[in-house]
Amino acid sequence: MKKTLMSAVAVALAMTSGVASATDTLAKIADTGTMTLGYRESSVPFSYLLADGTPAGYGFEVCKAVAESVKKELNRPDLKIEYQAVTSANRIPLIQNGTVDIECGSTTNSKKRQEAAGFGINYFGIQVTAAVNKKSGINTLRDLNGKTVAVTAGTTSVALLKAFEKKEGVRLRFLMTKDFAESMQLVAAGRADAYVIDDVLLAGQIANLPNPDDFKIIDASLSTEPYAPMFAKDDPKFKRLVDDTIRGMMDSGRLQALYETWFMKPIPPKGINLNFPMNSVTKGYFANPTSDGI
């Protein structure tokens, strides 16, 4: 993103001044004539690059809707919209230094992160749960008692399942794997009764199996996490605009339609359908919008 020297200095002073503690993203955008949307390159289907290099996805569409709201708020139909790739490591620093004005992807809205950045209304909620064969007879997490569960090394699934064992008085047998695909293959081959991780990741693994209709995701939760748009901390005017935009999308049915597009229909580039009906956590966010973090 190109800025004039005067604009860059103004932004830096606004962020470091002890007098003006609040950020004013709208003023910065009006001054530069540019708004920059952060995107992830491979966070399917939330924010990722299509074959032609264009950012797309459920979350990214929310970012684009916010950009349209900014144009109206500033009465700047000519406002230039730029895109900036972000990673898990640099997304918060790029928000903090003003390079990116808003990022809408698979970013978890947490109280810890709220110490460094602002968050809008949660537009998606994940559940850590299990994928099983439909013929397994497993319909609840308690049904995993005595079963073999595949878990991927480096994830929080083992700790969550250990806590679940203790709380519910059940016993599980664990099979540790190196990645998501190996874990799901163990279930597909019948060597494990279930695979436990984030439900949306399970949907992606199931969708890539040759027989996806044979499997299901249990609508229950060991843990939940909200995803929300992220922007500069201490900016009430911009937060109000973001929240009003998302709330309006929820009220009008536009966000529901976007959900159907990205989670219930074939998506580019491979035309895979995640076939992931809205879980109870996300339904709760739609029914009672909140920007609370975990």
Side-chain angles (χ1 to χ4, degrees):
M1 179 176 67
K2 296 180 179 178
K3 298 186 181 78
T4 64
L5 178 59
M6 183 178 295
S7 297
V9 171
V11 171
L13 288 174
M15 294 181 67
T16 58
S17 171
V19 177
S21 59
T23 305
D24 195 337
T25 302
L26 288 173
K28 188 203 78 168
I29 292 171
D31 181 49
T32 62
T34 301
M35 180 177 182
T36 303
L37 313 183
Y39 69 89
R40 299 294 294 271
E41 295 185 326
S42 58
S43 187
V44 182
F46 297 96
S47 181
Y48 66 104
L49 290 177
L50 301 179
D52 64 359
T54 303
Y58 173 75
F60 193 73
E61 288 295 328
V62 174
C63 260
K64 289 169 64 177
V66 170
E68 290 304 311
S69 294
V70 170
K71 287 182 179 181
K72 293 178 182 178
E73 177 73 15
L74 299 178
N75 193 24
R76 291 287 299 273
D78 61 334
L79 187 69
K80 186 177 181 181
I81 307 300
E82 295 187 343
Y83 305 150
Q84 171 67 50
V86 302
T87 67
S88 296
N90 71 16
R91 56 191 168 184
I92 291 179
L94 290 179
I95 288 287
Q96 290 177 319
N97 68 19
T99 299
V100 171
D101 296 307
I102 185 170
E103 185 263 346
C104 310
S106 54
T107 297
T108 297
N109 177 7
S110 70
K111 289 182 172 60
K112 179 65 176 177
R113 284 179 177 160
Q114 287 176 4
E115 296 174 4
F119 286 86
I121 287 176
N122 301 322
Y123 50 60
F124 188 86
I126 67 101
Q127 297 184 130
V128 177
T129 187
V132 299
N133 191 297
K134 289 180 179 177
K135 296 181 180 179
S136 66
I138 299 173
N139 298 304
T140 69
L141 292 174
R142 280 196 58 83
D143 291 339
L144 295 176
N145 187 30
K147 305 295 185 181
T148 300
V149 179
V151 288
T152 303
T155 67
T156 60
S157 299
V158 174
L160 290 170
L161 285 167
K162 288 291 187 182
F164 177 72
E165 279 186 310
K166 184 176 181 179
K167 179 182 177 182
E168 299 294 331
V170 298
R171 286 283 176 251
L172 310 174
R173 293 188 295 271
F174 296 97
L175 281 180
M176 297 296 296
T177 68
K178 67 179 185 298
D179 57 32
F180 302 155
E182 182 184 3
S183 294
M184 196 64 225
Q185 284 299 324
L186 288 175
V187 179
R191 293 178 55 199
D193 299 295
Y195 173 32
V196 172
I197 202 165
D198 301 2
D199 53 3
V200 69
L201 297 177
L202 293 173
Q205 291 301 314
I206 291 173
N208 281 286
L209 293 175
N211 54 336
D213 291 340
D214 292 347
F215 302 88
K216 67 179 181 180
I217 298 170
I218 296 174
D219 190 10
S221 178
L222 292 170
S223 177
T224 64
E225 292 183 8
Y227 290 173
M230 182 172 64
F231 41 83
K233 181 178 171 63
D234 297 327
D235 192 343
K237 288 195 296 184
F238 192 68
K239 175 173 170 53
R240 187 179 306 114
L241 181 143
V242 173
D243 288 353
D244 286 348
T245 299
I246 297 175
R247 192 177 289 108
M249 295 174 76
M250 289 175 169
D251 291 344
S252 68
R254 182 180 176 187
L255 197 58
Q256 175 73 40
L258 284 176
Y259 188 97
E260 295 291 328
T261 295
W262 292 99
F263 294 94
M264 298 298 294
K265 297 178 181 178
I267 59 174
K270 297 182 179 180
I272 290 176
N273 185 348
L274 292 181
N275 192 26
F276 185 63
M278 191 177 290
N279 63 28
S280 56
V281 180
T282 304
K283 287 179 181 177
Y285 292 144
F286 274 54
N288 299 290
T290 177
S291 56
D292 291 346
I294 57 168

